[in-house]
Amino acid sequence: MKKVIAALIAFAAIVFPQSAIAQPVANRDALNNIIVTGTGLAAGTLIKIYYPQVFDSKNFITSACNILTIKKTSLFAFDDWIKVGGVLLSLSVNSPPALPGLPCVNGAPNAAYSWINAGIYRYVQSSDKVYVVAPSPGAILVSGDLPNFRLGKVDKCGRILIKNSDKWPMTALNFNGALSYIVNGSYGPDITIPTTTTAAMPICYRGTLYQRQ
């Protein structure tokens, strides 16, 4: 019992409860994980964390005439541009006209299409697809232009924990030096991303938020 009391006294000596925080604050640990405190959100609230620098990507495989057929789907979306093998292809904001015939005719890209040159590729738009002529057959990574969101949940202390990973790097949260999230269909406040590790990370203990000293 004496050991338990001593441990509680030591714990109380290094932390104090945070009863109120004026606005959300982002903290950063040594592994580049982010903990946002002061959200004012109820425990268990589902949120969508905004990643402006993470885009949908998918491997497409060439077919006849070394042509990639890139189509929008619910799992792969784009609006203004796509990147094919790292090369940016600008797309028209207006609905393109219908394309005559097939993209590959007698073993060659359809000469009736108005192909646009972009680095090692040539491409053209149809109403719902983009056709890209590659220099050789194979699989090519294509990225869309619509930023991604990652689901998260508010913990018992009202915090948002954002784990850093290869797929969801901390740097990809950056939107002009800040991060944001969506709750109930609306964006939360922009929260400044710390540029260095937070010396004393806030901790959650039995539903109460504490700040190390």
Side-chain angles (χ1 to χ4, degrees):
M1 182 66 180
K2 290 182 179 179
K3 290 183 179 179
V4 174
I5 293 175
L8 290 174
I9 292 173
F11 179 78
I14 62 171
V15 300
F16 69 91
Q18 293 189 325
S19 58
I21 301 177
Q23 62 183 14
V25 175
N27 302 274
R28 174 178 169 184
D29 70 12
L31 298 176
N32 290 326
N33 300 313
I34 298 291
I35 297 178
V36 179
T37 59
T39 65
L41 299 174
T45 300
L46 292 176
I47 61 169
K48 294 172 68 177
I49 304 164
Y50 181 47
Y51 278 80
Q53 298 180 49
V54 173
F55 303 96
D56 284 329
S57 295
K58 179 180 177 181
N59 278 313
F60 287 83
I61 300 175
T62 57
S63 58
C65 297
N66 294 344
I67 290 177
L68 299 175
T69 301
I70 302 168
K71 184 176 181 179
K72 292 183 182 181
T73 67
S74 59
L75 298 177
F76 183 76
F78 51 88
D79 279 334
D80 300 325
W81 52 263
I82 55 175
K83 282 187 177 179
V84 178
V87 176
L88 181 70
L89 311 184
S90 297
L91 304 179
S92 172
V93 297
N94 301 315
S95 297
L99 296 174
L102 298 174
C104 181
V105 178
N106 297 325
N110 193 328
Y113 289 5
S114 299
W115 297 99
I116 300 170
N117 292 317
I120 61 174
Y121 302 105
R122 290 189 292 154
Y123 70 100
V124 68
Q125 282 180 262
S126 71
S127 58
D128 63 344
K129 301 181 183 73
V130 179
Y131 297 110
V132 181
V133 181
S136 59
I140 301 175
L141 184 66
V142 180
S143 299
D145 63 345
L146 299 182
N148 252 316
F149 291 88
R150 179 186 188 184
L151 290 178
K153 183 184 289 187
V154 177
D155 71 7
K156 293 180 179 180
C157 290
R159 306 181 306 171
I160 299 172
L161 281 66
I162 307 175
K163 291 286 188 179
N164 180 56
S165 67
D166 291 339
K167 181 178 180 180
W168 302 102
M170 183 271 294
T171 52
L173 289 166
N174 193 337
F175 183 73
N176 295 328
L179 66 89
S180 191
Y181 56 87
I182 290 178
V183 59
N184 296 325
S186 300
Y187 275 95
D190 288 343
I191 305 165
T192 301
I193 299 174
T195 57
T196 57
T197 301
T198 304
M201 294 290 288
I203 59 176
C204 182
Y205 182 72
R206 293 185 176 179
T208 301
L209 186 65
Y210 293 86
Q211 179 66 54
R212 291 182 180 274
Q213 292 295 290

